Structures are given as C-alpha cells and as structure tokens.
Amino acid sequence: KEEAKASITYSYKHGFSGFAAMLTEDQAEDLAELPEVISITPNQKHELMTTRSWDFLGLKNEPPSELLQRSNYGEDIIIGIIDTGIWPESKSFHDHGYDAIPSRWKGVCQLGEAWGLSNCSRKIIGARYYAAGLDKANFKKNYMSALDNNGHGTHTASTAAGVVVEGVNLHGLGAGVARGGATRARLAVYKVGWEEGGAGGSYLATAAVLAALDDAIHDGVDILSLSLGVDENSFGALHAVQNGITVVYAGGNRGPRPQVLYNTAPWVITVAASKIDRSFPTAITLGNKQTLVGQSLYYKLKNNTESRFESLVNGGNCSREALNGTSINEKVVLCIELTFGLIGRIFEDVFAGVIQGGASGLIFAFYTTDVLLSTEDCKGIACVFVDNEIGYQVATYIGSERLPTVKIEPASSITGNQVPAPKVAIFSSRGPSIKYPTVLKPDIAAPGVNILAAKEDAYVFNSGTSMAAPHVAGVVALLKALHPHWSHAALKSAIVTTASTKDEYDTPILAEALPRKVADPFDYGGGNINPIGAADPGLIYDIDPKDYNKFFACQIKKYEICNITTLPAYHLNLPSISIPDLRHPINVRRAVTNVGEVDAVYQSSIESPLGVKMTIEPPVLVFNASKKVHAFKICITPLWKVQGGYTFGSLTWYNEHHTARIPIAVRITIQDFYADVA
C-alpha cells in the first residue's frame, strides 16, 4: 500500500475519476486487466506554442472603447493560464485598485521555491504547479513553484489580462502602453511547463495538464487559456466545458502546411495567428549608396558605437559547407535560403555557422518568416530579414565590387494603414483537422506576430499561436462580463460568426503561404477576431454541453481519447460546417438563438462551395418575444462525381443591424481511403 500511494503523482476527481502514477510496463499491464479500470494511457511529453494588438482590434484604451466600458474591462472574470508559470513582480500584474477576491474562488496559493503568500494578490489570485515526472537532475534549472523562469507563461498571462503599463518598449521599438485585453480580470496560474535538458528544452506532460484542468474545475475559473501543443487532453477539456469553463487553445506553429493543427476538439476554441498593422523597417545601405529595406528588431546595445560601413560577404545558403573557406570574421554575411522548411530549424543552422565564424551582422534572404529577432536574440549583432528579391540585389552588388561594404541602421516602428493587415502568419498551423475532419478548424485567428508583452521585469517580442490564444481569452473575458449567462458555445459562436474576412481596405484577408494567397477557413476559421462585433452578434449557435456526448465517445485510451461516434459531427450545432466526404445530397440542420432585438427578421445569403449546390429552408427567419430560437435545414448537393479537394463557402444571416456568418468546407469524394498524394 505504501509503494502504491507513493507511485501516484496526480489524482483526478473534479472533472472525472482517475489518477496518474509512476508504473513499470508490467504494472501498467496488470492494472489494465482489473475490471474497475476503463483504460490506461502512457504519459506523453508535448511542446509550448510560442502593445499594438488591442488597439488594432478596436479596443482602444484612451479614450476607452464602448466594449471595455460596458464590460468594465472584464472585472472579476477569472482567467486560468496553464503554461510555464508567472513572474508576479512584473508591473503587468500589480493589484492596485482591485477589490477583494471573488467569494466564489476556491483555489489555493501553493507555496514553493521563491514563491510565498505575498506573491499571490488580488490580481494573481491563485497559483499551483505540477512537477511530477520531471527528472530530479532538472530541478536546479527550474523554480519548484509557480514562478516562471521561461517567460512564456508571463507573456501569455500579460497578453490576456495584464494591467495598463505606460511607456513600454524594447529599446525604443514598439513604444506605447502595454496591457492585456481584460485588464480588470483576475489570473489563476497553473504551471505545467518546465526547463529540461539543453538550451530550449522543455518538459510538458499530459498528466500534468490533466491535473491542472481538473484543479481549475474545482477552483472556479471562468476561462482557461492554453498555449500548449497537447492534442490528447480533449477528454479533460470536455469536462471543463461541461462545467461551464470556456477553453481556448493555440492551434500550433507548423504552418503553412495543411493538416498540422493541434487541439481540434469541437468543444474548445482553436486559435490561428495573424499579423497586425505594425512593421519594423530596417535600412540597409550598400557601399554604392543604394538603400534597401528589410525588417528586424535590431537595436544598438549600450556599448555599441554608431552604425558604420562594414565588409560584406556572400555566404550562399550559409550551411557549414557553404561557409567553409570563407572568412566572415567581423563581416556582415548575406545568407540566401531558396528552399522552404521550418524557419526555426533553418535559421538555427544558419545562425550557428554565422556566429561561430565571428560575423558582425546577418542579412537573411528568405521567402517570408513573420518572426523577427532582437539584438539580444542574435547575440549582439544585427539579424535583418529580407525577401529573395532584395537578397538578389545584395548578391548582385557583392558580385560587382572588389571590396563590398554595407551599413545596417537600427530598426524603426511603423503602425497604421500603411501596413496591410491582418494577414494569417506563415507559421500558423492549417486545417483540416485529421482527428475530427467533420469539425472545421481552426475556429478563429487573432494577433500572434511580434507581440510585445511581459517577461520577468521587462517586455519582449514573441510570436506564435501561443500569443494568439491569450488574445482570444482576453476577448472572451470581456464578453463573459458583458453577457454572464452566455454558454461557452454562445461565446464561441459570437466570436466566429462576427469575425472579419476583409482587411482595413475591404479586400480579402491574405494568408502567408507558398505563395501568398487569399485566406480560407482552414487558415483562419471564421476570420480574424472582431471583439466589437462579437459583443453584439445578433444570432448565436448554442449547444447544450451534454450534446457533445452524442457525437463523441470519450474515454482514456492509448493514443486516442475522444472518438467520433456513428453520428457525423457536422450535425452538431457548431458555427461552421465541414463535410469531408460528400457523395450524395445531405441535409445539415442548425438552430440559431436571437440575442439581439426581440423583434427581428433575418434574410439568408448563401455562397456555395465550388462544385456544390446549397439551398436553405426556410430562407427567412422571423423572431419575436415568443419565438427566440429558429431551426433551419441546409441541403448540400454535389454537382460533380469526382475525387476532389476541399472547396469553401459560407452561410450568412443578416438584417440592417447584424450579420452572422458561418464558414463551410466541403470535399466531394467517390471512394473511401483515397490517398490524395499523387
């Protein structure tokens, strides 16, 4: 009994019944044979998803937007951050002017290394950490507490609910006011991410995330924001949703390839990353006085002198082979990458060779990256990204000069409609969902590129769907404060159906890809988040949380947790439709609830996917005091007999005050298990 108790790391009891334990394979197999045990799954490791943005979304602080005023900045909504912890001393988390902690809060302030009771406050009202399974050899690399020594969790928490901090910038870049979306919301911190092994290594386990979800249900959070790549905890997230919690997940950073989304269960909000209307132009002056412009987060360190001309060399693709025999010490190196792969991996290889060679700067020509690096990221040198056209011009200059030189100026910041936005970031993972193809994912896009937010006592830029997810969590907090009785499904519906599909110039939003293209629902779901519209959507697609059980049989099994039942999930009342195998006419039913004016009439507008005919019955919905919910039927008919790809359309309900649009994805097929690879 003593050994059995000692082996248990977590006990799950608030959302579902279960436990995590350190077992040998034989012990696990023996345990699985017991009639009381439904199933066993091995613990798995996962990864983290890594100022201007709120103004860009229409939530201006000075003067305050109407939504911020009406929601009182999300006051007393409790946002749970499941991440790498938090840095409580950051200015973004002070609790000046906050009232007492809401009486419904049942959480704890768990003490630990460098974390005392004073580190919890009326802003950070709860803190827990989950270190079971972390190798003791890595304890010294971490604070054994909710304190964040990675920075990821602090960044996401301040993005969602950080208070107003004036005069924030990174060495002059991105200067302005740093704040979260819901500045009056409370924060509850659940630390599940740990430093492990070498530089950049992290330990993030399924068992810990499930334990955090289970505790969050008990503690009484309203929203959970998870910037994590954990696809196996849809089971725990379902229980959170069925207990009234809105769960927001990052969609992953493996774009622009399709079918690489994380966290695609229909009961969570899966978030893609988009770009905002800000850029960081960096002047590159060649020795012939020609000035070209790249982008970077390059700034001068305190001990650096003014910019000057330096020797410039062409390093080809800057692989070890290409740099072999080329002297790059104290020279600026041009690196040209004509292939496309994971930018992080490519740049890591390039950067290692350039730094080891003692280069004084790097001009990196690449198709597009969306991720910029600061001077500190680049070990004190300038790392400027340019496109291949500019890279070619620099290479041509180098080839024409006996002693080519270049001068790189520090970056500047430009915001506003000079920068077309939003666009879907190239790294943002794309649909369709492999696990749940009858559920259209992602749900929504939100700012996730070069976001300036807190890290320890400073502020840094980070990019990723990790940064996009807390933007959505912050918006949900405002909506929850404004509409306290709305369900999770209603909140999600309001966000999806009011999203923007056009940019500031009323042209279709683009998605960075190969090549750049008009965005479709597999890039951004309903579109780019529109908080003002979501506050007053007119109609919502609501779901009783119990209905998920009709479509998904959830139990913990090896490699799979929630399986689709025989009832296709496109019949679930989601604010989207995805049909991966259309072969004959089908009817899809939906119902909408009126949350706008009591007496209202809505017309329908259909944009049929290519190769598909769609009709709707009835085409007009009339609402009044006695008729608040209307059901309708969409008949979807294939016009072709072909093994096709996905095409996209939409259904919009509209009147003079509101527009509620849902995205639709359809693939016509004629065979099962047809691999679309040749």
Side-chain angles (χ1 to χ4, degrees):
K1 283 186 177 180
E2 287 73 19
E3 289 182 4
K5 286 181 180 178
S7 72
I8 295 176
T9 56
Y10 303 115
S11 179
Y12 311 124
K13 51 186 177 293
H14 304 297
F16 58 95
S17 179
F19 63 89
M22 306 291 287
L23 303 173
T24 65
E25 287 190 20
D26 289 342
Q27 288 171 333
E29 289 173 3
D30 291 343
L31 196 62
E33 298 298 321
L34 296 177
E36 300 93 336
V37 176
I38 296 172
S39 59
I40 289 180
T41 184
N43 191 29
Q44 295 186 38
K45 290 174 62 176
H46 306 284
E47 62 187 50
L48 298 168
M49 300 295 192
T50 294
T51 48
R52 166 71 182 169
S53 54
W54 292 111
D55 282 354
F56 176 66
L57 294 178
L59 295 177
K60 295 185 182 298
N61 193 54
E62 290 295 339
S65 71
E66 183 182 353
L67 175 54
L68 289 178
Q69 293 183 78
R70 290 173 60 205
S71 66
N72 201 17
Y73 304 85
E75 185 166 33
D76 286 349
I77 298 299
I78 302 170
I79 302 176
I81 304 291
I82 300 182
D83 212 297
T84 63
I86 198 167
W87 194 265
E89 289 85 1
S90 169
K91 293 178 181 178
S92 289
F93 307 125
H94 72 67
D95 65 353
H96 305 324
Y98 278 76
D99 293 330
I101 294 170
S103 58
R104 59 192 172 88
W105 176 246
K106 300 176 184 176
V108 300
C109 183
Q110 185 178 358
L111 306 184
E113 183 183 357
W115 188 285
L117 286 174
S118 62
N119 291 118
C120 290
S121 64
R122 288 170 295 179
K123 180 66 175 180
I124 303 173
I125 63 174
R128 296 179 185 264
Y129 65 97
Y130 306 84
L134 180 67
D135 194 305
K136 290 185 178 180
N138 294 307
F139 280 16
K140 292 183 179 179
K141 297 184 176 73
N142 295 276
Y143 294 107
M144 289 294 107
S145 68
L147 192 61
D148 182 12
N149 58 309
N150 175 287
H152 191 273
T154 300
H155 200 279
T156 57
S158 63
T159 300
V163 303
V164 173
V165 181
E166 304 277 355
V168 168
N169 64 83
L170 181 69
H171 297 273
L173 295 175
V177 175
R179 59 188 172 95
T183 55
R184 298 289 296 175
R186 315 290 183 129
L187 287 167
V189 180
Y190 301 86
K191 180 177 176 177
V192 297
W194 304 86
E195 301 292 303
E196 181 183 62
S202 63
Y203 177 81
L204 175 62
T206 303
V209 177
L210 280 171
L213 284 163
D214 194 52
D215 283 338
I217 292 170
H218 166 269
D219 294 347
V221 304
D222 299 303
I223 302 159
L224 280 170
S225 181
L226 299 94
S227 293
L228 316 170
V230 185
D231 219 22
E232 288 77 17
N233 66 355
S234 51
F235 180 73
L238 175 58
H239 284 280
V241 169
Q242 290 179 333
N243 278 274
I245 299 171
T246 297
V247 181
V248 182
Y249 263 111
N253 302 327
R254 297 189 176 186
R257 295 173 297 167
Q259 299 179 314
V260 291
L261 274 171
Y262 283 111
N263 311 313
T264 58
W267 43 85
V268 306
I269 300 176
T270 308
V271 186
S274 61
K275 303 199 282 189
I276 62 173
D277 61 342
R278 178 170 62 191
S279 66
F280 300 94
T282 305
I284 302 167
T285 303
L286 304 178
N288 62 4
K289 306 304 181 186
Q290 180 184 10
T291 297
L292 305 169
V293 181
Q295 286 206 63
S296 75
L297 297 176
Y298 172 52
Y299 47 81
K300 287 287 189 180
L301 297 175
K302 290 181 179 179
N303 58 350
N304 278 13
T305 59
E306 291 186 4
S307 300
R308 56 184 174 82
F309 281 94
E310 299 176 86
S311 295
L312 174 64
V313 297
N314 189 341
N317 66 4
C318 288
S319 63
R320 296 185 188 278
E321 294 77 16
L323 292 176
N324 187 30
T326 302
S327 173
I328 63 174
N329 187 49
E330 295 188 1
K331 298 177 182 178
V332 177
V333 184
L334 170 68
C335 301
I336 301 178
E337 178 56 57
L338 297 177
T339 62
F340 187 87
L342 288 173
I343 177 62
R345 193 171 301 158
I346 291 172
F347 186 76
E348 192 174 299
D349 294 341
V350 167
F351 188 61
V354 169
I355 287 295
Q356 287 173 11
S360 60
L362 168 63
I363 300 172
F364 191 34
F366 194 73
Y367 170 68
T368 188
T369 163
D370 289 334
V371 179
L372 301 179
L373 299 174
S374 70
T375 302
E376 290 181 7
D377 293 331
C378 291
K379 312 299 182 187
I381 69 171
C383 293
V384 185
F385 288 89
V386 299
D387 59 29
N388 284 323
E389 180 182 353
I390 291 178
Y392 175 76
Q393 293 183 56
V394 177
T396 300
Y397 162 73
I398 294 173
S400 67
E401 295 285 331
R402 188 172 64 86
L403 295 172
T405 59
V406 68
K407 179 171 69 172
I408 300 175
E409 299 288 355
S412 59
S413 302
I414 290 179
T415 59
N417 56 16
Q418 299 175 60
V419 183
K423 291 179 184 174
V424 178
I426 196 164
F427 57 75
S428 186
S429 290
R430 313 296 163 96
S433 167
I434 295 176
K435 197 170 185 180
Y436 307 119
T438 51
V439 178
L440 198 156
K441 291 285 179 171
D443 295 298
I444 196 72
V449 176
N450 299 318
I451 303 301
L452 186 62
K455 179 180 180 181
E456 295 185 356
D457 296 323
Y459 291 83
V460 299
F461 288 99
N462 275 336
S463 296
T465 54
S466 282
M467 285 66 248
H471 276 91
V472 175
V475 172
V476 172
L478 299 177
L479 299 181
K480 224 171 173 67
L482 187 63
H483 303 291
H485 302 298
W486 278 12
S487 67
H488 161 71
L491 294 163
K492 176 178 174 179
S493 172
I495 286 171
V496 173
T497 60
T498 61
S500 303
T501 59
K502 304 283 185 71
D503 67 14
E504 295 170 300
Y505 291 97
D506 202 36
T507 60
I509 290 174
L510 300 178
E512 298 289 8
L514 298 171
R516 183 179 293 137
K517 67 184 186 72
V518 173
D520 62 51
F522 289 159
D523 299 314
Y524 63 9
N528 204 62
I529 195 166
N530 171 17
I532 307 301
D536 185 20
L539 302 177
I540 57 170
Y541 292 77
D542 210 352
I543 299 174
D544 183 331
K546 295 178 183 177
D547 285 350
Y548 295 117
N549 296 332
K550 300 176 184 177
F551 296 86
F552 298 88
C554 289
Q555 62 179 20
I556 299 182
K557 287 183 176 292
K558 190 172 184 180
Y559 306 125
E560 195 73 48
I561 291 179
C562 294
N563 295 308
I564 298 175
T565 64
T566 55
L567 189 61
Y570 50 70
H571 290 303
L572 193 60
N573 199 43
L574 293 165
S576 60
I577 297 172
S578 177
I579 302 175
D581 54 356
L582 183 67
R583 300 182 187 180
H584 50 76
I586 63 169
N587 292 322
V588 176
R589 300 182 185 277
R590 288 289 187 273
V592 287
T593 302
N594 181 25
V595 294
E597 296 82 3
V598 174
D599 296 309
V601 178
Y602 282 84
Q603 308 284 335
S604 61
S605 174
I606 292 174
E607 182 186 346
S608 295
L610 194 64
V612 174
K613 179 183 178 182
M614 293 199 316
T615 58
I616 188 165
E617 183 62 36
V620 178
L621 303 179
V622 180
F623 295 91
N624 53 43
S626 60
K627 187 66 174 178
K628 297 181 179 180
V629 180
H630 259 298
F632 59 91
K633 178 177 67 178
I634 310 162
C635 182
I636 303 175
T637 304
L639 300 178
W640 305 330
K641 188 175 178 63
V642 65
Q643 192 73 21
Y646 280 97
T647 57
F648 306 99
S650 63
L651 165 63
T652 303
W653 292 107
Y654 67 94
N655 62 19
E656 62 271 27
H657 302 297
H658 299 101
T659 299
R661 175 187 177 275
I662 65 171
I664 298 172
V666 177
R667 180 175 61 184
I668 300 173
T669 63
I670 55 177
Q671 294 183 35
D672 286 326
F673 309 115
Y674 187 109
D676 188 14
V677 295

